[in-house]
Amino acid sequence: MTVVDNLLGLILLGRAVVINFRGCAGTPVTSDQLYHCGTTDDARQALMYIAKCYPHARLIGVGFSLGANMLVRYLAQEGEHSRLVAGCALSCPWDLHAVSSRLSKGTWMEQVYSRALAQNLVTTHSGALARNAAFAQVMPTILSLKSPSLLEFDALYTSQHASHVAPFPFPNVREYYSWASSHNVFTDVRVPLLAINADDDPIVRDLPLDVGRSGLVVLAITRGGGHLGWSTCRKRWWSGDHPRWVRKPMLEWLRAVGEDLWVDSPRGRPLCTVNGFISEVGRENIGCREIKGGGEITCNVVRGQRLAGL
């Protein structure tokens, strides 16, 4: 499932790193592990790499839309071991089954949006599947989807074939969405988290109003703002030459947790090297390395070709 922006931004000592998940933003898919809405390992491995390069940096995560869902899930999964000292989740979809069902069965415009997203996923994955023998068995099903909704695509493909490791495949798409959602795990977050959603978001209509159960999570619901909109000017909103209101509270939050929050350092599990891959002690099954010819990193400048291997 893809909803508008699949981005997770990481702020470190005033510098920013943007993570584009595999297969997104034109990045190639070079393995049999495809991107899906429940994955957190891409960000986890990127954080290993960043922590290796900047061992004393204070890392703060900012997630947009589906990236926000991934951020909340990462923080919940890591708990006390999170490499991020705090997070900010903007327009998080929270309950993915509710979002996908509404888009697939809602208004005419919502259905058009759902089918456009699903068609984009078919187009994105078909090339990778055609090159990968491990997924050749699902190619006929993928290519037969003429105009699927997001729910249909996730039921036929994502919940069954998006990964070759547990907990895939799922018995049904509802269980996949339940596993991949963030509304049922936020109580496991152990670092300060600010979430901002709008009450007129056309995509996200179901919000976890019980976040008060967690003393570390704050959900702010604004009057108006749409999905990642929050325009400060209702006139000529299409021109793009006006600021977005959400920048102000987001930057205030980043400044507060970046400068005033006391945290233990370093955070996260100890790093180690396994067969040339940067990994974590006790979690050696995942890791990352910079591929040969991928460029050298000096501070925050990437030299040479595209940095890969994350």
Side-chain angles (χ1 to χ4, degrees):
M1 175 178 178
T2 303
V3 181
V4 185
D5 290 325
N6 302 325
L7 295 178
L8 172 68
L10 303 176
I11 312 300
L12 59 159
L13 293 179
R15 291 165 289 188
V17 176
V18 176
I19 299 174
N20 283 308
F21 301 122
R22 63 184 70 206
C24 299
T27 58
V29 177
T30 59
S31 72
D32 56 2
Q33 175 65 59
L34 301 180
Y35 165 74
H36 57 85
C37 66
T39 183
T40 53
D41 278 346
D42 280 358
R44 183 172 286 108
Q45 292 170 87
L47 283 166
M48 293 179 194
Y49 186 87
I50 295 168
K52 180 73 172 180
C53 295
Y54 306 98
H56 303 295
R58 177 174 293 201
L59 305 180
I60 305 169
V62 180
F64 302 85
S65 192
L66 197 59
N69 183 78
M70 192 283 303
L71 171 63
V72 177
R73 279 176 46 78
Y74 167 81
L75 294 176
Q77 290 171 354
E78 292 300 302
E80 301 288 350
H81 298 290
S82 169
R83 294 193 180 279
L84 300 175
V85 302
C88 182
L90 304 178
S91 292
C92 181
W94 298 105
D95 187 339
L96 298 179
H97 185 266
V99 169
S100 186
S101 296
R102 176 169 287 103
L103 289 178
S104 300
K105 304 174 183 178
T107 65
W108 174 81
M109 184 59 70
E110 289 173 332
Q111 292 185 45
V112 169
Y113 185 70
S114 174
R115 295 183 186 281
L117 288 174
Q119 186 58 47
N120 178 64
L121 289 172
V122 172
T123 303
T124 299
H125 290 324
S126 61
L129 293 174
R131 297 190 302 269
N132 197 315
F135 288 102
Q137 58 180 341
V138 302
M139 278 297 294
T141 302
I142 295 297
L143 297 178
S144 68
L145 299 176
K146 302 299 182 182
S147 183
S149 68
L150 202 56
L151 184 63
E152 291 169 333
F153 179 87
D154 285 337
L156 290 171
Y157 171 69
T158 312
S159 62
Q160 303 300 309
H161 306 289
S163 177
H164 62 284
V165 298
F168 288 85
F170 286 87
N172 53 64
V173 70
R174 179 181 284 274
E175 291 198 25
Y176 162 68
Y177 281 145
S178 177
W179 169 79
S181 294
S182 55
H183 72 291
N184 49 13
V185 298
F186 67 83
T187 53
D188 294 327
V189 173
R190 293 293 180 267
V191 299
L193 172 66
L194 171 65
I196 304 178
N197 286 85
D199 66 355
D200 64 345
D201 191 322
I203 297 174
V204 184
R205 306 299 294 170
D206 295 83
L207 302 176
L209 300 182
D210 57 345
V211 292
R213 289 188 292 143
S214 171
L216 291 168
V217 181
V218 173
L219 172 61
I221 304 174
T222 64
R223 180 172 296 177
H227 190 74
L228 293 176
W230 289 297
S231 171
T232 58
C233 179
R234 293 186 178 276
K235 296 181 179 180
R236 298 183 62 190
W237 56 268
W238 61 87
S239 64
D241 59 354
H242 49 80
R244 297 179 185 272
W245 167 85
V246 77
R247 292 177 182 175
K248 185 175 185 294
M250 181 181 69
L251 291 175
E252 289 176 349
W253 172 257
L254 293 176
R255 186 174 296 110
V257 295
E259 298 177 358
D260 301 330
L261 179 66
W262 184 89
V263 295
D264 292 326
S265 182
R267 292 187 61 88
R269 295 176 175 85
L271 294 174
C272 61
T273 302
V274 180
N275 297 324
F277 283 82
I278 302 170
S279 188
E280 292 179 334
V281 174
R283 190 185 275 161
E284 291 83 1
N285 60 315
I286 63 172
C288 62
R289 67 180 178 184
E290 185 178 339
I291 64 172
K292 184 177 181 180
E296 296 179 353
I297 293 182
T298 303
C299 294
N300 60 339
V301 178
V302 179
R303 298 177 178 175
Q305 301 177 5
R306 179 185 66 252
L307 179 67
L310 293 182

